Amino acid sequence: MSAPLSIGSPRCRRRFSRHLALALFAAPALAAALLAIGSSPAAAHTRLLETIPEDRTISEAPPERLTLVFAEAVDPRTVALDVIAADGGRVAPPTLLTPVGTDASVIEFALPPLTDGIYGLSWITVGPDGHRVAGEVVVGVGVVDGAGVASANFSETPPLDRALSVTAGVARYLWYVGLATVAGAMLVLAWGRRPAAGSPAKEILARSARRALLRGALVLHVGILVRAAATITLVTRGYRTGSLGTDLRLALVDGLGLTLLVAAVGAGALVLWAPRLSRARSPWTLLQAGLGVMALAAVGSATSHTAVLSEDRFGIWVSTLHLTAAAVWLGPLLLGGATTATGRGRARPGAERAATLREVFGRFGPVAVGAFVVLALTGARSTWLLAGAELLSGSGYTTALIVKLALLAAVILPLGLYHDRRLGWLAKRRPADGTAPVRSLRLEAAAMAAVLVTAAVLAGLNPAVFGSGGGPEDTQIATVGGAPAADDPLSLLSDAPPESLEECRDRTVGKPNCYRDYFAEVMRSEGADVAVAEIAALSDSDDHVARDCHQVVHDLGNDAAEHYGDVGIALTYEGSACWSGYYHGVVEYAISQFNGTELFDEMPGICTTAAEREYSFTHYNCVHGLGHGVMLNLDGDLFGSIPYCETLPDRWELSSCVGGAIMENVVSAQQGIETDLRTDDLIYPCNVIGDDYVDECFAMQTSWMLYNLGYEDENFAEAFALCDSVQTDMVDNCYRSMGRDISGSSLLEVERIVRLCSLGDPDFQQECYVGASLNAVYNDHGTAMATALCEAIPARMQEACYAARDRAAGTF
């Protein structure tokens, strides 16, 4: 029976010191792992799926916007775009249209005005791990040489970014080598603890393992430090907010900088603990250290683009197993091969070296088999998650990952058989060969190192460009808008309308234009009333139509006015569905045909026929549509549009016209057109517009608030808070506008309308229900839905709700 330990005894101090060292290493490693596991899936990489306009496109009119569609959501703040002219000069910078604050897979930019010529729209996004995904969209404007468009190349990686990317890549490989070396040293030390007679060769191997543990920890630490510095610098440069401090904070907080820094602390603790660990006598101590190293592997999995493929947190652990299995297999092979290549190792007799390797690596066979199974399963899962759905697409990045998996299988399976023949079960049936273990370990180490480095390079390729096409020389030129390519006049984009709405529903981008083309064809072939009726019917079942019903019929009104050639004829068709957007579109198109002076003179008489029944719904639709049309005529100048509305002789007409202009101000902004709205002040322009029109402004402003905030319950609560902050006499108007938006976004679902309106101040909730009731009547051209809503709200608010319903119905 051993004597009890006293607190001050040397043995107790040594045990305390060991546990303290373990804690100093394990705590940062565990913290880094937890940070990594808690990272957003947005840390994964993305690739480009589609662009509008398409790459290598020639159009008569210059494109006004560029839309980039990524496979995975990215932070809009990290997407940069340069517009480069044929001479290499930068054109005026584009404007990011996609709201910031939430990741998005569709990123839009407003382009500066482009004259005739060839341009490169060079884009780049930097992920939280510092990985750059970049590409370009080449467009021709006007009559240009098609061969020039096909061969143009504008994208250039800045030398500093290239150097940082290479540095981060080298550091990543140092990290891999360090991890494998540490894992191999710990396994060899653990296997060496098995009771057996010692030998000089065995002692040489043990000393090599102890040295490798320290050196591997140093390489691991240096790799993490260098990678952290390069990654943080790359991500900081990628944000481009204009403030270095802000960019650095985002790189540390929103990126993976903080995780990498904590991991560096954990690796540093491992360096300090490595000398004591190398002399550990207990396998339990080595096991504890192994768990700490695995935590560092989890950090590598969560921060390395070769491992995280837009997976959930479980996927990070799968990638951790993938990386750990590679280290467990490669590490002992590297250590054994290196030891036998040293002078001391070669000085020992061949039989002694072979016996030592057979003894120490006696358990390596089962470990190697297990590691291979883990590598194959986790690698196949990760590849399938990224590439499985598009296995046949021919994507270059997809192909690289498939090649990686095939390469591992093609090399490792024969390698495993070779190992077994030399060192495993099959070797026991063959005559002893003293040099076989040495040759086997060297061959296996070299092959494994080569295949893992090749696999890492393949997985680290830039996954930016979709499709399997080659360079510019393999690109076909598309011509849009009647401007033919000089050398290929027959290469045109199809202008045929979609044959069914299914074609439109499946689109990632270009969906609004597809719907517009479809309904325009229905209008031309069967009449505007038939198209409007179909849209109204779809508003109950089609997500796009339900959400943007007013805009869909509004676009139809534009097309009908052009098709029929006479505003009076176009207005004879029934178009009251979806807040009468069809009528607004007709009138809007009509006045867009006048220049500024002509429009000033024509404004008072355009709606004369519609005003025969004064203040009717038809009268309202006409003058409201005037406001939309003036805004489009003046390129979104709200304050410049108001004087045109002021030419109308009646105050009610003036108010309706200004309301239309303010609605167009919001609708155009939501479509990416520059208008008098701000993302940093969601109340503007209502806080600066004249007192005569502040009512009309707040009646629409909440649509802009919600467009930027979002449409979840908490976003509606934020919007109500904004309403509470406006001038006192406008709060009720703002709440009515919230009711309109809530009613529309809820697809007139009574239960959701009641729940969302209740998020506002109880003193003003009644106004929210009033706005929702008005919206229900105008949308349905009937009172049934408004009645159901009024019946469901608190009794004290029902009278106002019914009154709003009846007031709206009285205008029909």
Side-chain angles (χ1 to χ4, degrees), residues 123-186:
W123 60 268
I124 178 176
T125 177
V126 180
D129 61 353
H131 185 66
R132 302 171 74 257
V133 180
E136 67 178 14
V137 179
V138 177
V139 297
V141 178
V143 179
V144 296
D145 180 20
V149 174
S151 61
N153 185 16
F154 295 87
S155 292
E156 291 184 2
T157 302
L160 179 57
D161 285 1
R162 188 183 301 277
L164 288 170
S165 295
V166 171
T167 301
V170 171
R172 186 167 61 248
Y173 295 136
L174 285 176
W175 192 90
Y176 291 158
V177 171
L179 185 68
T181 303
V182 169
M186 291 172 60

XYZ file of all heavy atoms in Angstrom, residues 123-186:
452
model
N -15.540 40.762 -60.161
C -16.093 40.633 -58.816
C -15.218 39.707 -57.964
O -14.477 38.876 -58.469
C -17.520 40.075 -58.858
C -17.626 38.730 -59.496
C -17.869 38.438 -60.812
C -17.471 37.456 -58.840
N -17.858 37.089 -61.026
C -17.621 36.453 -59.837
C -17.208 37.079 -57.538
C -17.528 35.099 -59.545
C -17.111 35.728 -57.235
C -17.275 34.750 -58.246
N -15.340 39.879 -56.674
C -14.610 39.041 -55.726
C -15.376 39.017 -54.414
O -15.991 40.012 -54.024
C -13.171 39.567 -55.494
C -12.451 38.701 -54.459
C -13.182 41.008 -55.045
C -11.003 39.087 -54.257
N -15.380 37.866 -53.768
C -15.898 37.770 -52.405
C -14.885 37.010 -51.575
O -14.301 36.033 -52.034
C -17.275 37.073 -52.350
O -17.691 36.958 -50.984
C -17.244 35.692 -52.961
N -14.641 37.495 -50.378
C -13.675 36.878 -49.466
C -14.443 36.265 -48.311
O -15.184 36.951 -47.602
C -12.662 37.921 -48.945
C -11.670 37.258 -47.993
C -11.920 38.565 -50.107
N -14.279 34.953 -48.129
C -14.982 34.264 -47.062
C -14.379 34.557 -45.702
O -13.280 35.111 -45.591
N -15.068 34.179 -44.630
C -14.548 34.414 -43.279
C -13.224 33.723 -43.025
O -12.502 34.089 -42.107
C -15.656 33.847 -42.377
C -16.879 33.827 -43.218
C -16.404 33.567 -44.613
N -12.892 32.687 -43.823
C -11.621 31.994 -43.647
C -10.536 32.578 -44.534
O -9.444 32.033 -44.609
C -11.792 30.500 -43.946
C -12.252 30.249 -45.373
O -12.560 31.234 -46.076
O -12.310 29.075 -45.791
N -10.821 33.684 -45.219
C -9.826 34.340 -46.048
C -9.745 33.807 -47.456
O -8.952 34.296 -48.260
N -10.563 32.815 -47.794
C -10.514 32.244 -49.142
C -11.202 33.181 -50.130
O -12.327 33.611 -49.907
C -11.195 30.887 -49.156
C -11.068 30.182 -50.477
N -9.864 29.741 -50.963
C -11.999 29.859 -51.409
C -10.064 29.157 -52.136
N -11.339 29.224 -52.422
N -10.519 33.487 -51.219
C -11.033 34.390 -52.238
C -11.742 33.590 -53.323
O -11.203 32.625 -53.853
C -9.893 35.202 -52.876
C -9.087 36.024 -51.901
C -7.858 36.619 -52.537
N -8.201 37.739 -53.422
C -8.240 37.669 -54.746
N -7.967 36.536 -55.359
N -8.545 38.724 -55.466
N -12.953 33.986 -53.647
C -13.673 33.437 -54.786
C -13.915 34.604 -55.727
O -14.532 35.596 -55.340
C -15.008 32.791 -54.358
C -15.735 32.217 -55.564
C -14.761 31.699 -53.335
N -13.401 34.517 -56.940
C -13.417 35.676 -57.818
C -13.744 35.254 -59.242
O -13.653 34.083 -59.611
C -12.065 36.394 -57.775
N -14.130 36.227 -60.034
C -14.432 35.983 -61.440
C -14.763 37.291 -62.131
O -14.609 38.377 -61.558
N -15.240 37.201 -63.347
C -15.598 38.407 -64.081
C -16.729 38.105 -65.045
O -16.938 36.953 -65.457
C -14.398 38.970 -64.847
C -13.927 38.080 -65.978
C -12.768 38.687 -66.751
O -12.152 39.665 -66.274
O -12.462 38.181 -67.840
N -17.489 39.125 -65.373
C -18.540 39.056 -66.381
C -18.171 40.077 -67.448
O -18.097 41.276 -67.163
C -19.926 39.379 -65.780
C -20.995 39.331 -66.863
C -20.260 38.407 -64.655
N -17.910 39.610 -68.656
C -17.522 40.487 -69.747
C -18.763 40.815 -70.567
O -19.501 39.909 -70.982
C -16.447 39.840 -70.631
C -16.100 40.747 -71.816
C -15.199 39.547 -69.814
N -19.019 42.100 -70.778
C -20.181 42.531 -71.551
C -19.740 43.510 -72.636
O -18.776 44.259 -72.461
C -21.247 43.205 -70.648
C -21.780 42.229 -69.629
C -20.683 44.437 -69.952
N -20.444 43.452 -73.744
C -20.250 44.422 -74.805
C -21.474 45.303 -74.918
O -22.605 44.825 -74.811
N -21.269 46.603 -75.104
C -22.366 47.558 -75.212
C -22.315 48.188 -76.602
O -21.266 48.691 -77.025
C -22.268 48.649 -74.128
C -23.396 49.659 -74.282
C -22.308 48.023 -72.740
N -23.456 48.166 -77.308
C -23.511 48.748 -78.642
C -22.924 47.809 -79.685
O -22.876 46.592 -79.508
N -22.457 48.361 -80.790
C -21.863 47.579 -81.870
C -20.377 47.401 -81.563
O -19.595 48.354 -81.639
C -22.049 48.280 -83.234
C -21.409 47.455 -84.341
C -23.530 48.478 -83.510
N -20.017 46.190 -81.171
C -18.638 45.884 -80.798
C -18.201 44.603 -81.490
O -19.016 43.861 -82.047
C -18.498 45.729 -79.265
C -18.802 47.032 -78.562
C -19.406 44.621 -78.748
N -16.920 44.357 -81.460
C -16.345 43.174 -82.082
C -16.602 41.954 -81.200
O -16.146 41.896 -80.059
C -14.842 43.392 -82.272
C -14.162 42.192 -82.911
O -14.872 41.380 -83.534
O -12.938 42.068 -82.771
N -17.324 40.974 -81.743
C -17.634 39.783 -80.968
C -16.398 39.016 -80.551
O -16.336 38.452 -79.458
N -15.391 38.984 -81.416
C -14.157 38.287 -81.060
C -13.472 38.976 -79.886
O -12.880 38.318 -79.024
C -13.220 38.248 -82.275
N -13.575 40.305 -79.847
C -12.990 41.036 -78.730
C -13.675 40.715 -77.421
O -13.032 40.580 -76.373
N -15.000 40.570 -77.456
C -15.748 40.210 -76.254
C -15.372 38.800 -75.805
O -15.210 38.523 -74.617
C -17.266 40.318 -76.501
C -18.049 39.815 -75.303
C -17.652 41.748 -76.816
N -15.213 37.897 -76.783
C -14.909 36.508 -76.446
C -13.534 36.347 -75.824
O -13.326 35.486 -74.969
C -15.013 35.639 -77.696
N -12.571 37.180 -76.240
C -11.198 37.003 -75.777
C -10.806 37.947 -74.646
O -9.717 37.812 -74.077
C -10.233 37.217 -76.945
O -10.356 38.536 -77.452
N -11.684 38.902 -74.294
C -11.322 39.901 -73.289
C -11.093 39.253 -71.932
O -11.781 38.313 -71.540
C -12.411 40.968 -73.198
N -10.121 39.779 -71.207
C -9.805 39.275 -69.874
C -9.394 40.466 -69.016
O -8.412 41.143 -69.297
C -8.683 38.244 -69.941
C -8.405 37.613 -68.600
O -9.214 37.714 -67.683
N -7.268 36.968 -68.467
N -10.161 40.722 -67.955
C -9.945 41.925 -67.155
C -9.470 41.630 -65.737
O -8.834 42.457 -65.108
C -11.241 42.745 -67.068
C -11.695 43.307 -68.385
C -12.494 42.565 -69.231
C -11.323 44.577 -68.780
C -12.913 43.079 -70.445
C -11.747 45.103 -69.987
C -12.543 44.352 -70.821
N -9.853 40.474 -65.193
C -9.611 40.205 -63.772
C -8.121 40.018 -63.498
O -7.437 39.279 -64.210
C -10.363 38.949 -63.329
O -11.742 39.179 -63.341
N -7.640 40.682 -62.492
C -6.276 40.517 -62.015
C -6.287 40.488 -60.484
O -6.918 41.337 -59.853
C -5.378 41.657 -62.493
C -5.104 41.651 -63.983
C -4.126 42.734 -64.382
O -3.653 43.446 -63.469
O -3.834 42.877 -65.581
N -5.606 39.504 -59.921
C -5.516 39.440 -58.466
C -4.444 40.414 -57.993
O -3.310 40.370 -58.476
C -5.143 38.018 -58.014
O -6.125 37.104 -58.506
C -5.095 37.939 -56.496
N -4.777 41.321 -57.067
C -3.758 42.237 -56.549
C -2.570 41.458 -55.989
O -2.758 40.416 -55.337
C -4.496 43.000 -55.439
C -5.940 42.893 -55.813
C -6.099 41.553 -56.470
N -1.346 41.932 -56.239
C -0.160 41.194 -55.770
C -0.183 40.899 -54.271
O 0.200 39.811 -53.851
C 0.999 42.132 -56.146
C 0.467 42.945 -57.287
C -0.988 43.128 -57.018
N -0.657 41.864 -53.466
C -0.694 41.629 -52.025
C -1.660 40.511 -51.676
O -1.360 39.636 -50.845
C -1.089 42.912 -51.285
C -1.187 42.793 -49.751
C 0.129 42.286 -49.158
C -1.570 44.133 -49.131
N -2.850 40.512 -52.311
C -3.817 39.444 -52.045
C -3.267 38.096 -52.485
O -3.470 37.072 -51.811
C -5.132 39.733 -52.776
C -5.939 40.813 -52.101
O -5.466 41.341 -51.078
O -7.038 41.146 -52.585
N -2.581 38.087 -53.627
C -1.996 36.831 -54.098
C -0.953 36.324 -53.097
O -0.916 35.135 -52.765
C -1.365 37.036 -55.473
C -0.890 35.730 -56.128
C -0.196 36.021 -57.458
N -1.083 36.699 -58.378
C -1.974 36.097 -59.153
N -2.094 34.773 -59.078
N -2.722 36.783 -59.981
N -0.108 37.251 -52.620
C 0.921 36.862 -51.656
C 0.304 36.362 -50.361
O 0.760 35.366 -49.779
C 1.839 38.050 -51.392
N -0.751 37.044 -49.904
C -1.409 36.618 -48.666
C -2.071 35.259 -48.843
O -2.044 34.417 -47.930
C -2.440 37.663 -48.250
C -1.885 38.980 -47.702
C -2.999 40.018 -47.568
C -1.200 38.768 -46.360
N -2.689 35.019 -50.003
C -3.331 33.727 -50.254
C -2.302 32.602 -50.266
O -2.521 31.528 -49.698
C -4.089 33.774 -51.584
O -5.155 34.689 -51.538
N -1.159 32.861 -50.940
C -0.107 31.846 -50.971
C 0.434 31.600 -49.558
O 0.648 30.453 -49.146
C 1.027 32.291 -51.914
C 2.226 31.353 -51.788
C 0.534 32.317 -53.353
N 0.634 32.686 -48.810
C 1.131 32.545 -47.432
C 0.159 31.738 -46.580
O 0.569 30.844 -45.818
C 1.342 33.935 -46.808
O 2.279 34.669 -47.593
C 1.861 33.809 -45.385
N -1.123 32.055 -46.694
C -2.122 31.306 -45.931
C -2.141 29.844 -46.343
O -2.306 28.948 -45.503
C -3.508 31.929 -46.121
N -1.966 29.570 -47.668
C -1.939 28.186 -48.129
C -0.747 27.424 -47.592
O -0.867 26.287 -47.126
N 0.432 28.054 -47.641
C 1.633 27.411 -47.104
C 1.474 27.161 -45.604
O 1.835 26.093 -45.086
C 2.872 28.280 -47.391
C 4.091 27.735 -46.646
C 3.146 28.345 -48.887
N 0.931 28.156 -44.898
C 0.722 27.995 -43.456
C -0.257 26.862 -43.167
O -0.114 26.132 -42.177
C 0.216 29.304 -42.857
N -1.263 26.721 -44.031
C -2.232 25.644 -43.837
C -1.542 24.285 -43.966
O -1.795 23.355 -43.177
C -3.361 25.777 -44.857
C -4.501 24.791 -44.643
C -5.719 25.157 -45.466
N -5.448 25.146 -46.893
C -5.432 26.235 -47.659
N -5.653 27.419 -47.108
N -5.193 26.151 -48.947
N -0.623 24.133 -44.933
C 0.089 22.876 -45.096
C 1.058 22.646 -43.941
O 1.242 21.504 -43.498
C 0.835 22.860 -46.435
C -0.111 22.895 -47.619
C 0.138 23.715 -48.704
C -1.271 22.122 -47.634
C -0.727 23.764 -49.779
C -2.147 22.172 -48.700
C -1.877 22.992 -49.775
O -2.742 23.041 -50.830
N 1.685 23.708 -43.438
C 2.505 23.577 -42.234
C 1.667 23.062 -41.074
O 2.107 22.223 -40.282
C 3.131 24.925 -41.878
C 4.309 25.407 -42.723
C 4.735 26.804 -42.282
C 5.476 24.436 -42.630
N 0.458 23.592 -40.982
C -0.458 23.166 -39.920
C -0.771 21.681 -40.052
O -0.768 20.936 -39.066
C -1.725 24.009 -40.020
C -2.648 23.902 -38.854
C -2.645 24.672 -37.730
C -3.729 22.979 -38.704
N -3.647 24.275 -36.891
C -4.333 23.238 -37.458
C -4.236 21.952 -39.487
C -5.412 22.518 -36.999
C -5.312 21.222 -39.028
C -5.890 21.514 -37.793
N -1.039 21.233 -41.294
C -1.312 19.815 -41.526
C -0.115 18.960 -41.121
O -0.253 17.931 -40.441
C -1.622 19.559 -43.009
C -2.915 20.132 -43.495
C -3.118 20.372 -44.852
C -3.953 20.440 -42.630
C -4.308 20.903 -45.327
C -5.146 20.972 -43.082
C -5.316 21.200 -44.443
O -6.483 21.717 -44.909
N 1.085 19.358 -41.575
C 2.296 18.587 -41.265
C 2.533 18.560 -39.750
O 2.874 17.509 -39.185
C 3.508 19.185 -42.003
C 4.803 18.531 -41.523
C 3.349 18.996 -43.508
N 2.361 19.713 -39.102
C 2.551 19.748 -37.654
C 1.571 18.848 -36.932
O 1.944 18.125 -35.995
N 0.323 18.881 -37.353
C -0.697 18.036 -36.723
C -0.358 16.561 -36.910
O -0.445 15.758 -35.969
C -2.069 18.354 -37.314
C -3.262 17.640 -36.683
C -3.490 18.134 -35.264
C -4.528 17.871 -37.518
N 0.039 16.178 -38.137
C 0.381 14.782 -38.396
C 1.608 14.365 -37.593
O 1.660 13.246 -37.055
C 0.630 14.578 -39.890
N 2.581 15.242 -37.496
C 3.793 14.916 -36.743
C 3.480 14.718 -35.266
O 3.969 13.761 -34.631
C 4.834 16.028 -36.918
O 5.104 16.216 -38.313
C 6.118 15.679 -36.210
N 2.677 15.608 -34.681
C 2.300 15.469 -33.275
C 1.516 14.186 -33.055
O 1.777 13.427 -32.101
C 1.480 16.697 -32.824
C 0.845 16.447 -31.455
C 2.359 17.936 -32.779
N 0.555 13.915 -33.947
C -0.241 12.696 -33.798
C 0.640 11.458 -33.914
O 0.515 10.496 -33.134
C -1.350 12.671 -34.851
N 1.566 11.450 -34.898
C 2.443 10.305 -35.064
C 3.354 10.093 -33.870
O 3.561 8.953 -33.411
N 3.905 11.186 -33.346
C 4.794 11.069 -32.183
C 4.040 10.526 -30.978
O 4.560 9.658 -30.242
C 5.398 12.437 -31.869
N 2.843 10.997 -30.739
C 2.070 10.530 -29.582
C 1.713 9.059 -29.720
O 1.748 8.299 -28.745
C 0.817 11.395 -29.428
C 1.125 12.819 -28.997
S -0.321 13.893 -29.025
C -1.379 13.063 -27.862
